[in-house]
Structures are given as structure tokens and as C-alpha cells.
Amino acid sequence: MSAAHGRTRGEYAKSSARRQAILEAAVEVFASAGFHRGSLRDVADRAGLSQAGVLHHFPSKPHLVAAVLTWRDDESRQRFVDDVPGGLETVRALVALIEYNQRKTPELVELYATLSAEATSSDHPVHEYFVRRYAWVVGYVQRAFESIAGSGELRADVDPAAAARWVVALMDGLQIQWLYDRDSVDMAAHVRTYIRSLLTVDL
Amino acid sequence: MSAAHGRTRGEYAKSSARRQAILEAAVEVFASAGFHRGSLRDVADRAGLSQAGVLHHFPSKPHLVAAVLTWRDDESRQRFVDDVPGGLETVRALVALIEYNQRKTPELVELYATLSAEATSSDHPVHEYFVRRYAWVVGYVQRAFESIAGSGELRADVDPAAAARWVVALMDGLQIQWLYDRDSVDMAAHVRTYIRSLLTVDL
DNA sequence: GTCTATAGAGGGATAGAC
DNA sequence: GTCTATCCCTCTATAGAC
């Protein structure tokens, strides 16, 4: 994905401070306004430089939003995916990730909820990104459930493929409900309780 | 809701043909483009009149999109909510509604999925509409589960309030997945199977 | 690398003729 | 009720000075 806008990870280091500030500003702007309503001017103002300055670091608006998404994915992956052995641990890491996002990076939750719905249109700049992302996430959770089933810890009447879709759908749907009423929805608790109901062991 | 833009249901009849054509065009436009990217010019072109003509029937863009939402809600309610006794029948009607929407009005699914995510921002024109809508839908499903629990048809370890949130979240999340890959996700089947897993009786 | 200025497109809403 | 014309705004992206 980094290669999509013609840069390798090494090149980012050159002007990383500015780029980082722009990315962080972009998260806030696109999170609350989405891609189409969020403007480069808003991003520029928050990052403390001019709009043309932003376009010096990222050649276009689609490039910027793509960079935001892959940047955050890399972070999440390092924190919660790499080094996780699989099976029950994968599911535990998933719940931990939700808890972390809800508490520490609520703008991120907003960003993904807003963009994933907006990008269902096939001509949206990050449509392909989300197609790949969903395929990967659903497959990842499915493999975890298959591993759990293999050790007899999944309820016999639960289909791993369906359960994977359900868990991912539940996460997305709860995000929406949470965004409308943050005080009365605890996403991580709901997902944990739900996953427990699929297992023969505790989480 | 109709009263929100200063008209009672009776007044609609006057110029209903045009209004109807505009509403149908607006569904298509806002469904695939969302509120902000969808333009009145697009709506006008599809409805076969000028952009100023559209604004004669609906005083502003927010008025138009609000009218679209309440119009479709009224239709759904008449078809699937009124006359439904409650309890298991409510849940069956819910699945029937999903099946109907998926097969007959996919643009509608797209419209609600796109707008519900976009409108999480509190300054969005239809934010309040969705706040009320979620409160109503979740409460409606919760009452159905409570009734089902009352007749011993809900699994003992299932909390009606949590289950209601889960079902609504599952529906929303599956909509997103379905929009990204319409061939490999059967929303109604997933919801039916999931709800079955919460019951002690068949659906 | 950052700025100002501006081109160029597209949008919502209004005025006023018919 | 419907149109054309237009105003005025916002936005992305580019050009070119520093």
C-alpha cells in the first residue's frame, strides 16, 4: 500500500515530523467529516501549514487518505497482530484492540466507520483498500475460529466462517451505535460477551 | 417527521407525481454517493426536471434527504411493523424485511448504510433522525426479545437488551460486508441463523 | 519546503421570466 | 410549476516566488 503512492518506507523518514503532523491532522478531519466533506484546508490548518504545503508532502487528497489508513493499519498490526500465536489468543487480542481503540483512539473508530461505509461505492478512492481489508480481516478471524474448533473450544453448532462474518459485522455495527451514543455502548464488553457465547471455554 | 419541513401528509397529495419522481431519483443518488457527494443536479437529471425545479418541491437539500428517509420509513413500517403482534412474529417480520430490502430495494440498503455512518457527526443534517431511529429500532427489538423471554422461548443466558443491540449491529455490519461483496453475503440468512442460535424454539 | 495567488470545476440557493 | 441565468461559496490542484 505504501508503494501505491510511489514511496518506500525508508523514504518517509526524511521529512517525517511534518508528514506525521499532517497524518495526525488528517485522521481528525477525515474521521469526523469523511473523505468527501473533509477538506485539505482543514487538514492544513490543524497541521499548522498551508494547503499547498500539505500537497507538497502528499501529491493528492486520495494519496493522503490512503496514507492515513495504511499508517494506522501498520500500527494496529504491530501492536495486536504480529507475535500473536493464533486460536484463542487471536480472539483475545481482537477484544484488546477494540478496547484500546475505544479508549485511546476514538477518532480512529470514527474514521474507519465513516470511510468504510462511504467507500462501498466502487469509484471511491479507497474502495479497493476496504475490499482487501475486509477479505483479510474476515479470513483472519475465520482461521482463528477454525483453530479454536480444532481444539474443541468452539461450540459444535457454530460454523467458523459464519461466526467470523458475525464477529466482524458485530464490531462494525456496534461502532455505529457507539458513535451515536458513546456512553451507553461498551463495544469491547459486547464483543467479549458475544464471543464467549460461541465458545465452550471461558475467554 | 413530515411536519419537520412544514407539511402535513395531506398536502403531499397535491403535486404527488413530481414529488414521488424526485424522491425516487434522490434515493438512487444519495444511496450511491451519500449526502455530501450526491448533488441536486444529479437528482434533477434523473427526475427529468431542472435543479431549480427540485428546490421548488423541497426547499433545501437537507429537507430533501429527510423526506427520502421518512418516506421509506413509512413504507417499511406499513409493510412490516404495523399489524405485527410482537414476540416471535416481530423477529420473523424483521428477517422478512431484510430479505425484501436485499432483493427488491438494494439502493435502500446502500442509502441507510452510507447515511447512518456519515450522519454520526453531530452537525450532519440527518444526525438527529438517526439518533431517534436507533433508539426506536433497538427498543423495538428489545421489547420483542423480552416478550420472547416471557414465554420461555429465549435461551436463559441471553440478555434481551444486549441481544437487541447485537441483532441491530449484525444487520448494520452485514450490510457493509454485503455492499462490498454482494454475491457472497446473504444478509437475511445470516440474521435468521444468528437469531435461531438465541432461541430455544425454531424460527 | 513553504508560501501566496489563482485557475478551474462543481455545488446550493435565489431572482425573475414565462 | 418550471425554466434559465446567475451569484457566491468551497474545494482541489497548479504555478511560481522566496
Side-chain angles (χ1 to χ4, degrees):
Chain A
M1 227 11 197
S2 306
H5 48 275
R7 286 169 175 277
T8 65
R9 198 160 285 147
E11 292 174 56
Y12 281 133
K14 282 192 218 163
S15 54
S16 58
R18 267 290 203 225
R19 288 183 68 91
Q20 201 66 14
I22 294 170
L23 286 173
E24 277 162 23
V27 167
E28 295 173 28
V29 171
F30 293 134
S32 61
F35 175 74
H36 294 293
R37 194 167 56 137
S39 77
L40 292 178
R41 246 178 264 278
D42 275 6
V43 174
D45 288 350
R46 283 182 202 241
L49 80 174
S50 72
Q51 186 241 24
V54 170
L55 286 173
H56 170 77
H57 292 277
F58 300 89
S60 75
K61 193 184 179 188
H63 281 86
L64 173 58
V65 84
V68 167
L69 291 172
T70 56
W71 167 48
R72 290 304 209 159
D73 275 354
D74 286 349
E75 283 216 332
S76 295
R77 218 167 294 189
Q78 279 170 35
R79 204 184 286 266
F80 294 97
V81 176
D82 299 348
D83 309 327
V84 171
L88 271 187
E89 285 307 319
T90 297
V91 177
R92 285 199 190 96
L94 194 69
V95 174
L97 174 60
I98 295 171
E99 196 153 26
Y100 176 84
N101 284 341
Q102 175 173 347
R103 284 173 41 187
K104 296 281 178 63
T105 59
E107 338 79 54
L108 243 193
V109 177
E110 219 178 332
L111 179 73
Y112 277 93
T114 306
L115 283 184
S116 64
E118 185 177 296
T120 54
S121 298
S122 58
D123 63 339
H124 194 285
V126 290
H127 178 81
E128 288 306 320
Y129 165 84
F130 276 105
V131 168
R132 279 194 297 274
R133 185 172 200 267
Y134 274 104
W136 184 84
V137 172
V138 172
Y140 181 71
V141 177
Q142 180 177 340
R143 285 192 296 279
F145 277 132
E146 282 165 352
S147 153
I148 292 170
S151 51
E153 293 162 322
L154 193 70
R155 262 178 39 194
D157 58 337
V158 174
D159 170 35
R165 280 211 183 277
W166 295 355
V167 167
V168 174
L170 188 73
M171 288 170 54
D172 284 348
L174 285 174
Q175 279 174 8
I176 302 279
Q177 290 181 45
W178 178 72
L179 288 170
Y180 278 111
D181 190 359
R182 302 199 185 196
D183 293 330
S184 57
V185 181
D186 183 334
M187 294 189 288
H190 272 291
V191 172
R192 187 185 290 110
T193 306
Y194 170 68
I195 291 179
R196 262 202 199 112
S197 77
L198 301 177
L199 304 179
T200 60
V201 297
D202 204 21
L203 235 199
Chain B
M1 251 335 220
S2 307
H5 48 275
R7 288 170 175 274
T8 65
R9 199 162 285 146
E11 291 173 58
Y12 282 132
K14 281 191 223 163
S15 54
S16 58
R18 264 289 201 233
R19 288 184 68 92
Q20 201 66 14
I22 293 169
L23 287 173
E24 278 162 22
V27 167
E28 295 172 27
V29 170
F30 293 134
S32 60
F35 174 75
H36 289 103
R37 193 166 57 138
S39 77
L40 292 178
R41 279 178 175 83
D42 275 6
V43 174
D45 287 351
R46 284 182 201 242
L49 80 176
S50 73
Q51 186 241 23
V54 170
L55 286 172
H56 170 76
H57 292 278
F58 300 91
S60 76
K61 192 185 180 186
H63 281 85
L64 173 58
V65 84
V68 167
L69 292 172
T70 57
W71 166 50
R72 291 304 209 157
D73 275 355
D74 286 350
E75 281 216 333
S76 295
R77 218 167 292 189
Q78 280 171 35
R79 203 185 287 265
F80 294 96
V81 177
D82 299 347
D83 309 327
V84 171
L88 272 187
E89 285 307 318
T90 297
V91 177
R92 286 200 189 98
L94 194 70
V95 175
L97 174 60
I98 296 170
E99 196 153 25
Y100 176 84
N101 284 340
Q102 176 172 347
R103 284 173 41 189
K104 296 281 180 65
T105 59
E107 337 79 54
L108 244 191
V109 177
E110 217 178 332
L111 179 73
Y112 277 92
T114 307
L115 283 184
S116 65
E118 185 178 299
T120 53
S121 298
S122 58
D123 64 339
H124 194 285
V126 291
H127 178 79
E128 289 305 321
Y129 165 86
F130 276 105
V131 170
R132 279 194 300 273
R133 185 172 200 267
Y134 274 104
W136 185 83
V137 172
V138 172
Y140 181 70
V141 177
Q142 180 177 340
R143 285 192 297 279
F145 277 132
E146 282 165 353
S147 154
I148 292 170
S151 51
E153 294 161 322
L154 193 70
R155 262 178 38 195
D157 58 336
V158 175
D159 170 34
R165 279 209 183 280
W166 295 355
V167 167
V168 174
L170 188 72
M171 288 170 54
D172 284 348
L174 285 174
Q175 280 174 9
I176 303 279
Q177 291 182 45
W178 178 72
L179 287 170
Y180 278 111
D181 190 359
R182 302 198 186 195
D183 292 331
S184 59
V185 181
D186 183 335
M187 293 189 288
H190 273 292
V191 173
R192 187 185 290 111
T193 306
Y194 170 66
I195 291 179
R196 261 200 200 113
S197 77
L198 301 176
L199 304 178
T200 60
V201 296
D202 203 20
L203 235 199

